[in-house]
Amino acid sequence: MDLALLRTFVTVHRAGSFTRAAALLGLSQPAVTSQIRTLERQLGRPLFLRQARGVTPTTIGDELAHKAAPHLDALVEIAESGLDDESSLRTLHLAGPPEFTAERALPALTELTGDDGQGFALRASFGTAEETLEGLASGHHDLAISTARPRGALLTATPLCDEEHVLVAAPRWVERIGAEALRLKGAPALEDLPVVEVHESLPFVARYWASVFDSRPAASGTVIVPDLRAVLACAIAGAGLAVLPRYLCATALDHGTLLALHDPAVPPLRTYFLVVRTGTLAMPHIARAHEWLQRAATAWC
């Protein structure tokens, strides 16, 4: 059986689409369709059911993928290991949310870009979870950090760490409301405060209110900036309350330039995932970055 046909089959099986598989393989969609039809003729069985959106594997298709994929991944690992010498520097394309990637992931991964014979060049891009996962699925990225766990067989996600969210404001707002009023009244005491957020929908504040106060925030955004680092700077400057990841505002809390407005028994958490295209951990530079970030994350949680 032709290994090229099996490779195309496994890619379609993971991608769930001829179009997406063609993009990943660098082939035209008719070429992918032709290869799958050739394999189906050789086996005498249909491997996929064609649907309006993508394809669904048949029982035979699932069985073949289960048997063939590990061996194809092992062959990729052998081929990639053969290319991994001192004269070849692989490039890792990383994507993720701007703040976490800049503050956490990139500083950790730059340790792997040195000239030690096992390093790699690093290219990073920022985006939303949807943009990042779509780019990974399309082959534009090698490794993604996402706050959403992807569905389907094309992408494989590994939990990386949990991020605690903190409700904060500059000291003058605590003085204005009063610490005792905050403790006794909770959310109602905060309703008149201006809000600093990343979007008009108040995603961080709304999630905090729902989790901690079991309600919706009454206020609307006063300052909207599409980066949590800018939210942090505006909150320190006194623009209003904000909900921020603890790792991002820990220094400001330690220095007293921000104060926590609430201390819930169970703080809201958001989970980050490391995501790769299934099978690509056979590539040494992706596997090394994946393992390195997991190790680094033990100190982040």
Side-chain angles (χ1 to χ4, degrees):
M1 187 177 294
D2 190 339
L3 287 178
L5 297 183
L6 278 178
R7 178 171 177 259
T8 298
F9 161 72
V10 169
T11 304
V12 172
H13 186 273
R14 287 170 170 168
S17 160
F18 285 176
T19 302
R20 180 166 282 174
L24 292 172
L25 292 166
L27 300 173
S28 67
Q29 182 175 336
V32 169
T33 302
S34 176
Q35 289 188 23
I36 295 300
R37 286 176 177 169
T38 298
L39 187 58
E40 288 177 328
R41 283 197 299 270
Q42 290 179 3
L43 296 173
R45 303 282 187 88
L47 298 173
F48 296 103
L49 300 175
R50 280 67 169 176
Q51 298 180 332
R53 292 187 176 183
V55 293
T56 301
T58 63
T59 302
I60 297 298
D62 274 334
E63 183 180 355
L64 179 60
H66 179 73
K67 291 179 178 179
H71 300 290
L72 287 170
D73 292 341
L75 288 173
V76 170
E77 182 176 7
I78 292 170
E80 293 293 332
S81 297
L83 294 172
D84 234 22
D85 55 38
E86 294 184 0
S87 63
S88 63
L89 188 64
R90 303 304 303 272
T91 299
L92 178 80
H93 294 271
L94 173 73
E99 305 87 359
F100 186 87
T101 305
E103 299 289 329
R104 294 296 205 195
L106 288 175
L109 288 178
T110 51
E111 298 181 41
L112 300 182
T113 60
D115 185 19
D116 63 354
Q118 299 182 35
F120 49 73
L122 181 60
R123 302 290 184 270
S125 61
F126 301 146
T128 64
E130 182 180 359
E131 293 167 344
T132 296
L133 294 178
E134 182 60 34
L136 179 65
S138 301
H140 299 302
H141 316 309
D142 301 313
L143 180 62
I145 299 170
S146 173
T147 54
R149 182 192 288 272
R151 297 180 179 179
L154 177 61
L155 303 179
T156 300
T158 304
L160 181 63
C161 65
D162 290 329
E163 169 186 273
E164 178 188 347
H165 287 177
V166 188
L167 178 61
V168 298
R172 71 183 186 92
W173 291 109
V174 178
E175 294 170 2
R176 174 176 169 177
I177 299 172
E180 185 65 14
L182 276 173
R183 187 182 68 82
L184 294 175
K185 296 182 180 180
L190 302 168
E191 290 181 357
D192 294 331
L193 266 65
V195 174
V196 188
E197 255 283 12
V198 296
H199 191 270
E200 296 288 353
S201 62
L202 308 184
F204 285 85
V205 171
R207 188 182 303 118
Y208 190 98
W209 251 246
S211 175
V212 175
F213 301 127
D214 194 25
S215 64
R216 294 182 178 181
S220 59
T222 301
V223 178
I224 303 295
V225 284
D227 189 298
L228 286 172
R229 291 164 294 189
V231 172
L232 171 65
C234 291
I236 291 174
L241 67 81
V243 173
L244 290 166
R246 182 172 289 278
Y247 80 85
L248 198 60
C249 63
T251 300
L253 290 171
D254 291 341
H255 292 170
T257 52
L258 283 180
L259 298 178
L261 299 180
H262 193 62
D263 184 22
V266 181
L269 299 175
R270 183 168 67 165
T271 300
Y272 284 97
F273 298 93
L274 273 181
V275 191
V276 296
R277 288 188 303 282
T278 302
T280 57
L281 284 179
M283 300 180 181
H285 68 302
I286 298 178
R288 192 173 184 216
H290 191 277
E291 180 183 3
W292 196 267
L293 285 174
Q294 285 185 292
R295 289 181 181 178
T298 59
W300 300 341
C301 300

